[in-house]
Amino acid sequence: MNGNQPTPELAQKMANAIRILAVDAIEKAKSGHPGAPMGMADIAEVLWNRHLSHNPANPQWANRDRFILSNGHGSMLIYALLHLSGYDLPMEEIKNFRQLHSKTAGHPEVGITPGVETTTGPLGQGISNAVGFALAEKLLAQEFNQADAAIVDHMTYAFLGDGCLMEGISHEACAFAGTLRLSKLVAFWDDNGISIDGHVEGWFTDDTPKRFEAYGWNVLSVDGHDAAAIDAAVQAAKAQSTLADGKPTLICCKTVIGKGSPNKQGTHDVHGAALGAAEIAATRAALGWEHAPFEIPADIAAAWNATARGQAAEAAWNERFAAYRAAYPEKAAEFERRMKGDLLPAFAEQLPTIFAAIAGNAAAVATRKASQNALDVLAPLLPEFFGGSADLTGSNLTNFKGCVRAGRDTWGNHLSYGVREFGMAAIMNGMALHGGFIPYGGTFLTFSDYSRNAVRMAALMKQRVIHVFTHDSIGLGEDGPTHQSVEHIPSLRIIPNLDVWRPADGLETAVAWASAVERKDGPTALCLSRQNLPRLTTVEMVESIRKGGYVLSDMEGAKAVIIATGSELELAMQAQATLKAEGIATRVVSMPSTNLFDRQSAEYQASVLPLSLPTIAIEAAHPDFWHKYTGRTGAVIGIATFGESAPAKDLYNHFGITAARVVEAVKKAC
């Protein structure tokens, strides 16, 4: 789609169309951020009109360039671009900016607005997603491209502002992008010197160009309002992808925030508030824009419309792919399957055999090791698996037999992310959004605090991302309270659309992995033990385990229900045996995933947890969460303080997370 070179006069009018659409929509909504759309309009015109390869008629074309607006508060910039270039985003949606159920939300949302690649707004995560997009492109190209056929060959572009650069996640992800030489990644920094509080020199004095040079990026600097200079910089950035030692590129664009507003440009007043009717009138006059609100002249609309060029670009790629399919039919079919997100039929076909083999292993095993055992047998059925760990591979056990470490210049399916929990989580989101991969990554559960907002974003975006959180409780022992999770599991459980599993043995762990892989509409967190746990389940329980909560052990005439998860399920079974010896019958319920259990029918839930029976829950985590199941008449045995440094057994006794406490609670409840 290169080569669409408007005259300077037309280019200016095209950029001004972005500015005016932004201020009109924000004024109508009486809220929004006009500064970035107005300041970046010239950059946007050059990129979208002269370089971006995309097809507005098919936003899901596999080989399209990806565009990410990391400074997502400037959402009217991307909405204007999508509308003007021909996406299914009519003017009525622009007029409904920030209104209920519109496709033009306050921040761009993937799956809501055609052409939006990722949900942005939490600053720094968009550029980090972009690293994931570029990594996915590079890995797929290494896997599928042939010497005579390149079917994966596209760029990833990101706009970002000072706020993105101030957020720590940008350091994590951008440093990693330089290490990996993601040469098809191009970021445009909107260097306008303004944030919400005013001029940034009081709180942001980084030498950003030198910072990115130190990361290993190619750094260019331009006047962000000089279309010719921007065009030349984009061409130079794209040339990096042809070099053996090519680098990602940062284009530093010196801009005036709110450019075009005579009285507010260059100030923080234009950052996050409507201009007001008087200033909009002055802006129209300053820009020579004589058209009514939401009116785009026919010549400017025609110049912006990219549908014909986009269809031609996709048609040319389709021809290349047809030739590729003829020469490499198996690879073509595999590429299409991967991009659709479908699983190989063999996955479902072999699961029963896999579950039976795992259930037949009577050895006690930590669920982090059970997770690795599951990966060893599942990964050969999942070419789309891409694993990793934040410098804890030997502890998280996210590697598997036959996995290949991905590197700067080599294909692989397992990556050492370094100590970058937040960056890893956001990069995985980008990979999932790109398509072709099911990414998973590991760290200690207590460090989910670092990555939490990216976990939340995966849930919001409904992306199939799997988080392996090991060392899930005081059971990790001697490392002490800094590493011992207490509040983490309950807090993760209340993130909407995140499935949290805390399995108790090898079979529950394998079922959790299968559920996470099969799930297309959201992420999963697997919370796994450091300490060995006994086998408690049988293969006949698989379908029950899949429901998230089920009756593990029942007794006729049960007087109470004991719920447990993970390492505490063994304690529940011990308590049941003690109570049985004393003539008190109980039911033990394993609840590896409360999220899945809560999605079951009311009838099923009642069959597992009868309202007529007192219920006691035990989990080595904060107890408040469990009252939704135990009610006022039950009890919860947990830990509401930070841990201590000691061997795991001593800690469980010290904090009273024991079978004896369960016995006591049942007797009191009965």
Side-chain angles (χ1 to χ4, degrees):
M1 293 182 69
N2 298 350
N4 188 45
Q5 298 289 334
T7 65
E9 293 77 15
L10 180 56
Q12 189 62 68
K13 290 179 180 179
M14 294 172 73
N16 287 343
I18 297 172
R19 293 183 170 101
I20 295 299
L21 272 181
V23 300
D24 283 346
I26 292 166
E27 178 66 19
K28 186 174 186 296
K30 302 301 181 187
S31 72
H33 298 74
M38 298 177 77
M40 299 193 79
D42 299 304
I43 307 165
E45 182 278 315
V46 171
L47 176 63
W48 276 65
N49 190 44
R50 311 184 198 188
H51 293 279
L52 194 71
S53 181
H54 64 125
N55 182 7
N58 181 14
Q60 299 305 312
W61 170 33
N63 201 48
R64 68 192 182 278
D65 289 342
R66 270 61 167 184
F67 174 79
I68 291 93
L69 184 70
S70 190
N71 45 343
H73 54 271
S75 57
M76 264 311 304
L77 176 60
I78 192 169
Y79 297 150
L81 289 164
L82 292 170
H83 169 75
L84 290 167
S85 59
Y87 284 80
D88 184 18
L89 195 68
M91 189 63 82
E92 284 304 309
E93 293 291 350
I94 302 297
K95 293 178 181 178
N96 286 331
F97 178 57
R98 288 189 163 217
Q99 304 309 298
L100 186 65
H101 303 315
S102 75
K103 294 182 180 180
T104 48
H107 293 83
E109 295 187 35
V110 68
I112 301 297
T113 313
V116 169
E117 301 283 2
T118 180
T119 300
T120 54
L123 294 178
Q125 288 199 61
I127 180 61
S128 304
N129 294 164
V131 173
F133 276 94
L135 176 59
E137 192 276 344
K138 183 172 184 175
L139 290 166
L140 287 171
Q142 289 171 331
E143 184 175 356
F144 287 99
N145 287 356
Q146 303 297 308
D148 60 344
I151 60 164
V152 182
D153 183 16
H154 55 265
M155 305 292 292
T156 299
Y157 297 104
F159 282 6
L160 66 156
D162 292 330
C164 293
L165 294 174
M166 283 186 264
E167 289 285 0
I169 189 174
S170 70
H171 294 260
E172 295 183 28
C174 293
F176 202 35
T179 297
L180 295 175
R181 285 202 189 118
L182 300 179
S183 60
K184 290 186 177 179
L185 172 61
V186 181
F188 298 79
W189 170 33
D190 181 23
D191 179 16
N192 60 42
I194 297 291
S195 65
I196 291 175
D197 280 357
H199 292 271
V200 300
E201 60 262 24
W203 48 88
F204 183 51
T205 58
D206 301 16
D207 189 331
T208 297
K210 287 184 179 178
R211 168 185 158 189
F212 275 76
E213 287 173 359
Y215 289 160
W217 285 54
N218 172 45
V219 179
L220 306 171
S221 296
V222 298
D223 177 345
H225 304 298
D226 183 338
I230 298 165
D231 188 26
V234 176
Q235 292 184 47
K238 290 163 68 176
Q240 284 288 318
S241 67
T242 67
L243 304 177
D245 58 350
K247 304 174 181 180
T249 296
L250 176 70
I251 303 177
C252 305
C253 304
K254 194 65 180 176
T255 62
V256 177
I257 190 170
K259 183 171 176 60
S261 170
N263 302 301
K264 294 187 177 183
Q265 67 179 19
T267 73
H268 70 278
D269 293 334
V270 77
H271 182 281
L275 296 185
E279 186 62 16
I280 289 177
T283 300
R284 275 182 152 78
L287 297 178
W289 192 270
E290 300 176 349
H291 313 286
F294 304 107
E295 180 182 314
I296 304 297
D299 60 333
I300 297 176
W304 261 118
N305 195 295
T307 302
R309 283 181 287 130
Q311 290 174 328
E314 182 176 356
W317 181 83
N318 287 339
E319 287 185 15
R320 295 200 304 274
F321 191 77
Y324 179 89
R325 186 197 303 280
Y328 310 101
E330 292 183 0
K331 281 189 170 292
E334 175 66 1
F335 177 77
E336 290 182 313
R337 180 191 71 81
R338 294 265 293 271
M339 294 304 292
K340 288 178 182 176
D342 296 336
L343 299 177
L344 286 170
F347 181 81
E349 292 166 1
Q350 296 190 31
L351 274 184
T353 301
I354 290 170
F355 289 150
I358 290 172
N361 185 354
V365 61
T367 51
R368 62 172 176 152
K369 179 59 179 175
S371 169
Q372 187 179 49
N373 293 342
L375 286 173
D376 285 342
V377 291
L378 293 175
L381 305 174
L382 296 164
E384 55 269 77
F385 249 10
F386 188 85
S389 176
D391 204 46
L392 288 168
T393 300
S395 295
N396 302 146
L397 304 180
T398 55
N399 54 339
F400 53 87
K401 292 178 182 177
C403 71
V404 178
R405 175 176 287 188
R408 170 183 286 179
D409 300 311
T410 57
W411 175 89
N413 54 9
H414 191 276
L415 187 63
S416 293
Y417 286 91
V419 188
R420 298 184 175 100
E421 295 89 355
F422 196 3
M424 174 180 70
I427 289 169
M428 289 196 297
N429 287 349
M431 295 187 74
L433 287 158
H434 179 280
F437 292 99
I438 300 176
Y440 69 89
T443 187
F444 289 172
L445 176 58
T446 192
F447 300 146
S448 65
D449 285 336
Y450 286 134
S451 56
R452 183 181 180 88
N453 200 261
V455 175
R456 181 179 187 272
M457 292 304 295
L460 177 63
M461 296 188 288
K462 301 180 180 179
Q463 293 304 300
R464 180 162 50 182
V465 176
I466 304 171
H467 295 274
V468 180
F469 294 134
T470 68
H471 297 60
D472 67 351
S473 70
I474 58 173
L476 69 88
E478 293 83 351
D479 274 345
T482 60
H483 284 50
Q484 290 166 3
S485 301
V486 174
E487 74 280 18
H488 299 79
I489 294 173
S491 67
L492 288 170
R493 284 178 178 139
I494 63 174
I495 296 177
N497 200 42
L498 173 67
D499 281 355
V500 179
W501 285 80
R502 188 172 185 244
D505 67 2
L507 182 58
E508 283 195 353
T509 304
V511 172
W513 265 111
S515 176
V517 168
E518 292 163 347
R519 186 179 187 219
K520 281 188 171 186
D521 61 352
T524 301
L526 309 179
C527 302
L528 309 172
S529 74
R530 176 181 184 268
Q531 70 272 37
N532 287 343
L533 306 178
R535 185 191 68 180
L536 297 171
T537 60
T538 65
V539 72
E540 291 78 16
M541 298 177 180
V542 165
E543 291 308 311
S544 296
I545 296 170
R546 282 184 173 277
K547 295 179 180 179
Y550 63 100
V551 178
L552 174 69
S553 177
D554 207 3
M555 297 177 64
E556 186 176 351
K559 302 297 184 184
V561 176
I562 306 169
I563 308 175
T565 75
S567 46
E568 289 71 69
L569 190 59
E570 176 185 11
L571 301 179
M573 293 296 289
Q574 292 172 1
Q576 185 189 50
T578 299
L579 289 162
K580 179 181 179 182
E582 297 183 21
I584 301 174
T586 58
R587 168 182 289 187
V588 174
V589 169
S590 177
M591 188 86 76
S593 178
T594 63
N595 307 98
L596 265 74
F597 180 75
D598 288 349
R599 293 204 292 270
Q600 304 305 314
S601 68
E603 291 77 15
Y604 177 78
Q605 293 180 39
S607 73
V608 174
L609 300 177
L611 294 176
S612 59
L613 296 180
T615 302
I616 288 80
I618 177 171
E619 184 175 61
H622 200 287
D624 282 3
F625 173 86
W626 286 102
H627 291 293
K628 64 185 282 189
Y629 300 112
T630 64
R632 290 186 174 185
T633 60
V636 182
I637 298 166
I639 175 171
T641 67
F642 294 113
E644 298 281 351
S645 181
K649 184 176 180 181
D650 294 344
L651 291 171
Y652 271 78
N653 288 329
H654 173 74
F655 289 107
I657 302 174
T658 62
R661 282 278 307 281
V662 177
V663 169
E664 178 185 340
V666 169
K667 288 180 177 179
K668 185 176 180 180
C670 292

